[in-house]
Amino acid sequence: QVQLVESGGGLVQPGGSLRLSCAASGFTFSSYAMKWYRQAPGKERELVAAISSSGGTTNYADSMKGRFTISRDNAKNTVYLQMNSLKPDDTAVYYCNVVRYAFGYWGQGTQVTVSS
C-alpha cells in the first residue's frame, strides 16, 4: 500500500524557481531514504537528488548541485525538491522514489516545463 504522490510541477520561465512535494504513505517514512528522479523525452530516467532517512545526508547529480535542494519533513511524511535557477534542460517529469524490501516504488510524476 505504499503510495507516493508528487505535486508542485508546472510551467516556469528560465531562471525561475519551483518547489516539488512528494507525499508518502503506507510505510514508515522516517526509516527510509528518499530520492527524486527525472525523465525528459527521449532520455533515460536520471537521479536528481537523494536524502537519508533522517535528512542528515543529501546527494545531488552534478548538474543540480547549487541549484536544487532536497529536504524532508518526517512529521508530514513529505519530501521536497526546491529547484532554483531553472534551465530549459530541466524540463522533465519528476518522480519521487523509495526502495522498500528491495522493491522500488514510484509516484505518478509531476511535469516541470521550463520555457519562455
Side-chain angles (χ1 to χ4, degrees):
Q1 73 275 25
V2 171
Q3 286 188 276
L4 302 172
V5 181
E6 301 94 335
S7 63
L11 176 64
V12 64
Q13 294 184 341
S17 297
L18 214 55
R19 189 179 78 155
L20 308 183
S21 298
C22 173
S25 62
F27 64 101
T28 305
F29 181 77
S30 62
S31 295
Y32 291 87
M34 300 295 296
K35 298 177 181 177
W36 284 98
Y37 286 79
R38 71 183 185 186
Q39 188 165 26
K43 299 183 67 177
E44 293 186 353
R45 188 170 297 187
E46 65 174 337
L47 177 68
V48 173
I51 188 167
S52 62
S53 59
S54 68
T57 302
T58 58
N59 294 99
Y60 303 91
D62 286 343
S63 63
M64 291 82 174
K65 289 180 180 177
R67 299 191 300 122
F68 290 9
T69 302
I70 188 171
S71 62
R72 67 192 296 160
D73 186 340
N74 285 346
K76 294 183 176 181
N77 286 1
T78 302
V79 61
Y80 305 95
L81 184 68
Q82 178 67 47
M83 305 185 294
N84 299 325
S85 301
L86 284 163
K87 307 172 182 178
D89 284 350
D90 294 321
T91 296
V93 178
Y94 285 72
Y95 298 91
C96 185
N97 166 266
V98 63
V99 176
R100 181 173 178 267
Y101 294 149
F103 187 91
Y105 293 87
W106 302 87
Q108 84 288 349
T110 185
Q111 176 71 50
V112 172
T113 302
V114 184
S115 176
S116 298

